[in-house]
Amino acid sequence: MSCLNSDKIKKGIEKAPHRSLLKALGLTDWELERPLVGIVNSQNEYIPGHIHLDAIAAAVKAGVRANGGTPLEFNTIGVCDGIAMNHEGMRFSLASRELIADSIEVMARAHAVDALVFIPNCDKIIPGMLMAAARLNIPSIVVSGGPMLAGRFQGKDVSLSNVFEGVGAYSAGKITLDELTELENQACPGCGSCAGMFTANTMNCLTEPLGIALPGNGTIPAVHAARVRLAKEAGWQVMELLKKDIRPRDIMTKDAFWNAFAVDMALGGSTNTVLHLLAVAHEAGVEIDLDFIEEVSRKVPNLCRLSPASGYHIQDLDEAGGIPAVMAELLKYGLLRGEALTVTGKTLASNVEGRKIRRPEVIRTVDDPYSPTGGLAILRGNLAPEGAVVKLSAVAPEMLVHTGPARVFDCEEDAVAAILGGKIKPGDVIVIRYEGPKGGPGMREMLTPTSAVAGMGLDKDVALITDGRFSGATRGASIGHISPEAAEGGPLALVEEGDQIAIDLPNRKLTLLVDEQELARRRENWKQPEPKVKTGYLARYARLVTSASRGAVFSD
């Protein structure tokens, strides 16, 4: 550490004005002699998963100071997907990922930081920070705020997904308004990322096999003291990374992305991980694609079924041994790249040595999996020539193979109105289009319609396909990320009411049963719709964003 990046703003006679400004912060000469470590905190008072992150940041700063660094905190924006759901706010959720990465780059480069500790917890904030880490490539570590505990309702553990499904159950007359209100009051008991294996917790879990976070980052509950201890350790460890000059791109290699997707398959994580890990790999200069993901899925079995696929939650996974136990089980069978470097300074295999499954009902063994292939699957066919994604582990067996008539909607709101209005019948295939990265714009999550379908008891009878995406809380035959999207003239734009659509998940096929001559006629008559948003950030986003099959990154 003889030559620090921060020397650009601290060393030499000509930097007296810079030192004067730094001293205006209250920094002493001896603090300025130390490395300056940026603490990237996404705390705000809108997101339950982030409300407590000031306490996590304080613990991180204590760890940095204890190991010879000077921590300086700055903030990023963050969107709560649950609150943004089912209105125009959801258009901004995925789009915020790029803003988060860009804003961190601006702060880190402008202020010549020596290292970074990233404190995310929910949804797009995690991948946005990972993208920034890969792009900046200075010593970095991630420590999240941890998962929310499950709530209790009528003697069962519940989480946010149960409330979304409760809306459908109430509409179908299955529960009373008083019961829905009680569920609303009990499902989210406090701080932390929502308690199931939804997008936030999936991404936090995957920071461990990706190698960019310490063991335990994905599963230690937000309210446990162990979470604060982990934050202190992360602050200490970033200084070790700086001393050894271990950088994100040394860690986030192709082997690391294999490990992340392998654990993803074992967990049955959110389909959003496909978007996000593709985007992080793009920033890290690592070439992976949907075929790479499908290769992992074919080789790695599904070992866990957590909410929304079961009544187990992240706290159960933590008690069962957490992500280290999952990785240790996969390593036994050669399903991980154990020599991959991690932020501990050791290999992944070293990190999980001796870890065991403590609750076999939560983490199954490779010899006794839920399925021999992974929890996510990549589909192709004439309806999705560039690919589509489904959370296979959350699909009822009855819907693995299904053919039914298309019920076509050009926006999410119209589909929700039809579902809650009782206009969807068993056997239907709901098509929601013009909701992709460009068409949305912003590729909205479809948790409201999928939860309404499930809450009304139709999840074993009805499929939903979209060029939009799904929350990790979605369950059922929900197929998203259809590429090319409808707004780019993809085949989804050509579907008409009543067309038969064939879904064959075991064989990874998604087929529109309309002959090519008829599709060619429809294609000639198709006209690109007017943009839904013509000004502001979303208009710029729509012009720059690429296909979901590429991670919805900005074009170069």
Side-chain angles (χ1 to χ4, degrees), residues 311-354:
Y312 294 122
H313 294 82
I314 304 299
Q315 67 203 64
D316 297 298
L317 179 60
D318 190 58
E319 291 173 5
I323 303 307
V326 175
M327 292 194 290
E329 178 64 17
L330 295 177
L331 272 169
K332 287 181 193 175
Y333 295 83
L335 296 171
L336 294 183
R337 312 285 167 81
E339 295 306 307
L341 181 65
T342 74
V343 289
T344 65
K346 303 175 183 177
T347 65
L348 181 145
S350 297
N351 288 348
V352 303
E353 187 175 356

Side-chain angles (χ1 to χ4, degrees), residues 34 55 125 132 141 150 181 189 216-217 237 243 245 279 299-300 305 357 383 410 475 488 492 503 532:
R34 296 178 167 192
I125 298 97
I141 194 169
T181 301
N217 184 63
Q237 191 60 27
K243 293 170 188 176
D245 195 30
K299 292 181 178 180
V300 180
R305 293 279 169 95
I357 297 170
L383 197 49
D410 286 348
R475 62 185 175 96
E488 292 191 311
L492 196 66
I503 298 166
K532 294 176 185 174

Side-chain angles (χ1 to χ4, degrees), residues 81 84-88 90 164 412-413 416 444-445 448-449:
D81 278 24
M85 198 72 66
N86 193 229
H87 61 94
E88 68 171 354
M90 180 46 69
F164 274 96
E412 178 188 0
E413 289 83 356
V416 171
R444 291 194 288 179
E445 285 185 347
T448 296

Side-chain angles (χ1 to χ4, degrees), residues 90 100 105 134 136 162 198 261 264 270 284 298 315 356 369 421 431 454 456 484 514 524-525 551 556:
M90 180 46 69
I100 290 165
E105 178 188 12
L136 290 163
N162 298 96
F198 313 149
F261 276 115
D264 197 6
S270 167
R298 291 287 188 180
Q315 67 203 64
K356 296 180 179 179
V431 175
M456 297 176 80
V514 175
E524 286 181 3
N525 294 326
D556 295 327

Side-chain angles (χ1 to χ4, degrees), residues 314-506:
I314 304 299
Q315 67 203 64
D316 297 298
L317 179 60
D318 190 58
E319 291 173 5
I323 303 307
V326 175
M327 292 194 290
E329 178 64 17
L330 295 177
L331 272 169
K332 287 181 193 175
Y333 295 83
L335 296 171
L336 294 183
R337 312 285 167 81
E339 295 306 307
L341 181 65
T342 74
V343 289
T344 65
K346 303 175 183 177
T347 65
L348 181 145
S350 297
N351 288 348
V352 303
E353 187 175 356
R355 299 298 186 103
K356 296 180 179 179
I357 297 170
R358 296 197 293 260
R359 288 182 59 184
E361 76 277 17
V362 178
I363 305 173
R364 290 192 176 186
T365 63
V366 170
D367 289 333
D368 181 33
Y370 284 101
S371 69
T373 57
L376 300 181
I378 306 300
L379 311 182
R380 295 187 190 271
N382 70 342
L383 197 49
E386 292 180 7
V389 185
V390 64
K391 187 172 183 175
L392 200 59
S393 60
V395 179
E398 298 92 325
M399 291 299 293
L400 293 175
V401 178
H402 177 78
T403 299
R407 303 297 309 281
V408 183
F409 304 94
D410 286 348
C411 68
E412 178 188 0
E413 289 83 356
D414 289 350
V416 171
I419 295 166
L420 294 179
K423 296 179 180 179
I424 301 300
K425 306 302 180 186
D428 286 348
V429 178
I430 302 167
V431 175
I432 306 178
R433 62 190 180 190
Y434 298 109
E435 291 286 8
K438 287 183 179 293
M443 203 179 182
R444 291 194 288 179
E445 285 185 347
M446 303 292 168
L447 181 56
T448 296
T450 59
S451 296
V453 166
M456 297 176 80
L458 292 172
D459 56 302
K460 296 180 181 179
D461 302 293
V462 170
L464 191 154
I465 67 174
T466 181
D467 51 7
R469 60 196 177 90
F470 298 110
S471 165
T474 287
R475 62 185 175 96
S478 302
I479 300 167
H481 306 201
I482 290 179
S483 300
E485 62 176 286
E488 292 191 311
L492 196 66
L494 309 180
V495 181
E496 294 184 358
E497 187 81 8
D499 285 349
Q500 292 289 305
I501 294 175
I503 298 166
D504 184 351
L505 300 186

Side-chain angles (χ1 to χ4, degrees), residues 158-171:
V158 293
S159 65
L160 181 66
S161 64
N162 298 96
V163 187
F164 274 96
E165 292 183 12
V167 174
Y170 171 73
S171 298

